Amino acid sequence: MSAEDTVKVDAIVVGGGPGGLAAALTMAQGGLEVILVERGEYAGSKNVGGLFYGTILNQLIPDAFKQAPIERTVSKRSITYLGDGTHMSLTFGADAWSQPPYNNTYVVHRAQFDRWLASQVEEAGATLLEGMVVDGLIYEGEGAGRKAVGVQLRGDEAFYADVIVLADGANCLVSEKVREELAMPGGKIKQEYAVGVKEIISLPKETIEARFNLKDNEGVAYDFLGVPFEGLIGGGFIYTAKDSIHLGSVARIESLVESGFTPSGLNDRFKQHPAVSRLIDGGELLEYSGHMLPEGGYDAIGSLTANGVMIVGDAAGLLNMSLYKEGTNHAMESGMYAGQAAVAAKEKKDYSRSGLALYEEKLAEGIALKDVKKYKDLPDILTSAPELLSLYPKKINQLMVDYFTVNAEPKAVTQKAAMKNFMKDMSKIKLLRNAFKARKLM
Ligand SMILES: Cc1cc2nc3c(=O)[nH]c(=O)nc-3n(C[C@H](O)[C@H](O)[C@H](O)COP(=O)(O)OP(=O)(O)OC[C@H]3O[C@@H](n4cnc5c(N)ncnc54)[C@H](O)[C@@H]3O)c2cc1C
């Protein structure tokens, strides 16, 4: 191929999820010539949907929530413990969450949302190449000076750039290869993964609003733990969209293997719990997908910058797996910082690791990394104190059921029996120790 045939731009982004799209948008807004390569038929085509926190989106595109394809705004949340034939919920909300910007919490169909965001990226001047797979990067130089200079697409085609942003998601085969090639230091621990299953179940709008007690366009986010997930590090969720429900479950891979459940088997078990099945009763399955999630937390995050390269989003391990389940917003925050670092690198004409250092500096000052750090002990805590997800909520649930059971006994007798049942099989010392650990999960 002659030099004239070579396509060279300022920046190439691998992956058209929220991380890659935010990076491409920031760089295009900053005047860089950008190509984004997405292997799916279109951005978002490989994703299903869920809860979207919009703080970064609303920074990148002011008042984006007014034009983005949002299914419902989330006006209340609920945490439900599922027992054996019992259930217990804590539901909360605020009137302010029904007013713009709706607590920055929205339910979106990723297929529509990512596609819309991709259209904003194109409007800002970036070129989207969809339906194309990046097989690996192209390198130049040796030793400490070795750098990435382009991407090799499946087939013969190659594109060149001064900087490449890797946003290839949790199953990040390209990023992993680049880490090896450019000897990028890993985290303190190996990355660990969970696997998640998501379904979109169709139900009439009026049924959803009546069943979940919602006004027009308001939505609810439910998190579930308990008996369907017993013995596993995992849980389930339901988010209401306009005329469908997003339902799914997530569990740490090693705990799934130990339990013998398949991801879909676990999800079926979750759906069959009476407190869940009545929420989706009469619904029709529209879409189903399975995905991995990086769950190693802060200690699994390695270096994210090398000569000519930055890694963002799930590929960087920036998911907050606490009750917030914040992945898309973190991916966008890291993508935005990587984009800003690329714009600054162009001004300095320095795309080396030190020329791109601004990315990790901004990340360290930002919110995503601080939040991932706050929950850095979550994987260990859940492994060392499985009672937090099973025994204790089960006991509290039983206590409430026993307390409110109406029978021919005086209340004092019922309540004493309820307390006795609650304390049975409970070690007070362990309870105290675990209460201390649980503070770190909040
Ligand atoms: C079951 C489940 C539920 C979740 N629920 C939520 C939730 O409610 N809220 C939330 O904030 N987060 C949630 N997440 C996490 C969220 O989906 C991710 O954190 C987020 O999508 C990460 O964005 P990303 O851009 O880094 O990666 P992705 O969104 O995974 O995008 C990566 C993109 O790269 C493309 N790609 C990969 N390899 C190549 C290649 N070689 N060439 C070209 N393109 C490539 C892929 O096709 C994909 O489009 C959930 C995840 C799962 C699995």
Side-chain angles (χ1 to χ4, degrees), residues 13-22 36-47 49-53 106 110 114 129 131-136 153-154 166-175 194-199 237 239 247-250 289-294 312-316 318-321 324-332 334:
V13 179
V14 180
L21 291 167
L36 181 146
V37 187
E38 164 55 46
R39 71 177 170 187
E41 190 192 332
Y42 54 88
S45 62
K46 298 219 169 253
N47 219 305
L51 210 55
F52 177 79
Y53 299 107
Y106 317 106
R110 286 280 302 275
D114 290 16
L129 300 178
M132 290 181 148
V133 182
V134 171
D135 271 339
L153 299 186
R154 192 156 297 169
L166 298 173
D168 49 340
N171 193 13
C172 49
L173 301 179
V174 180
S175 292
V195 63
V197 163
K198 274 189 199 175
E199 294 185 4
F237 58 86
Y239 310 133
L247 174 147
S249 52
V250 174
S289 84
H291 279 285
M292 292 205 323
L293 301 95
V312 306
D314 274 13
L318 286 168
L319 182 73
N320 174 0
M321 271 313 289
Y324 294 99
K325 280 209 242 66
E326 191 165 1
T328 46
N329 199 32
H330 283 191
M332 290 191 75
S334 58

Side-chain angles (χ1 to χ4, degrees), residues 154-167:
R154 192 156 297 169
D156 267 347
E157 230 159 344
F159 297 122
Y160 292 82
D162 290 318
V163 63
I164 295 153
V165 178
L166 298 173

Side-chain angles (χ1 to χ4, degrees), residues 95-388:
D95 291 346
W97 294 1
S98 299
Q99 307 299 324
Y102 308 101
N103 194 31
N104 288 301
T105 311
Y106 317 106
V107 177
V108 300
H109 284 315
R110 286 280 302 275
Q112 290 165 11
F113 177 82
D114 290 16
R115 209 172 188 180
W116 167 81
L117 188 54
S119 73
Q120 304 296 303
V121 172
E122 272 188 312
E123 238 170 68
T127 303
L128 258 62
L129 300 178
E130 291 166 323
M132 290 181 148
V133 182
V134 171
D135 271 339
L137 301 197
I138 303 163
Y139 305 91
E140 264 178 27
E142 293 301 327
R146 188 161 164 76
K147 61 177 181 181
V149 293
V151 301
Q152 182 63 56
L153 299 186
R154 192 156 297 169
D156 267 347
E157 230 159 344
F159 297 122
Y160 292 82
D162 290 318
V163 63
I164 295 153
V165 178
L166 298 173
D168 49 340
N171 193 13
C172 49
L173 301 179
V174 180
S175 292
E176 274 170 17
K177 265 199 250 172
V178 175
R179 285 192 167 284
E180 269 178 43
E181 282 281 350
L182 295 179
M184 295 172 76
K188 273 198 225 155
I189 57 167
K190 250 184 94 191
Q191 186 56 272
E192 289 177 41
Y193 291 94
V195 63
V197 163
K198 274 189 199 175
E199 294 185 4
I200 296 189
I201 297 165
S202 133
L203 271 176
K205 185 174 183 289
E206 305 73 45
T207 307
I208 292 176
E209 285 164 8
R211 206 171 273 182
F212 291 87
N213 190 19
L214 300 168
K215 278 213 245 156
D216 213 22
N217 292 333
E218 284 180 350
V220 61
Y222 275 68
D223 286 297
F224 295 89
L225 54 130
V227 163
F229 308 100
E230 211 157 40
L232 290 152
I233 299 180
F237 58 86
I238 283 184
Y239 310 133
T240 53
K242 215 166 268 164
D243 48 13
S244 63
I245 282 177
H246 295 189
L247 174 147
S249 52
V250 174
R252 184 77 69 81
I253 288 178
E254 62 189 25
S255 71
L256 263 178
V257 171
E258 274 168 28
S259 71
F261 279 116
T262 59
S264 63
L266 180 67
N267 203 50
D268 287 344
R269 197 170 132 100
F270 167 51
K271 276 163 58 180
Q272 280 153 15
H273 191 284
V276 176
S277 64
R278 67 171 67 110
L279 294 175
I280 54 172
D281 189 33
E284 188 196 330
L285 180 66
L286 293 181
E287 280 181 54
Y288 179 95
S289 84
H291 279 285
M292 292 205 323
L293 301 95
E295 271 217 326
Y298 185 77
D299 287 337
I301 299 175
S303 169
L304 302 178
T305 317
N307 295 330
V309 170
M310 290 176 277
I311 306 180
V312 306
D314 274 13
L318 286 168
L319 182 73
N320 174 0
M321 271 313 289
S322 68
L323 268 182
Y324 294 99
K325 280 209 242 66
E326 191 165 1
T328 46
N329 199 32
H330 283 191
M332 290 191 75
E333 185 179 335
S334 58
M336 178 176 77
Y337 295 150
Q340 290 167 350
V343 172
K346 183 172 179 182
E347 279 164 19
K348 294 180 289 182
K349 296 193 176 49
D350 179 3
Y351 300 95
S352 67
R353 183 173 181 205
S354 63
L356 297 171
L358 185 67
Y359 168 45
E360 290 192 63
E361 283 164 24
K362 282 191 171 276
L363 209 52
E365 285 162 15
I367 291 172
L369 197 64
K370 284 198 187 99
D371 283 356
V372 176
K373 190 172 183 181
K374 173 170 162 46
Y375 294 104
K376 80 179 174 49
D377 297 327
L378 188 110
D380 276 354
I381 292 173
L382 294 181
T383 310
S384 68
E387 302 86 2
L388 290 170

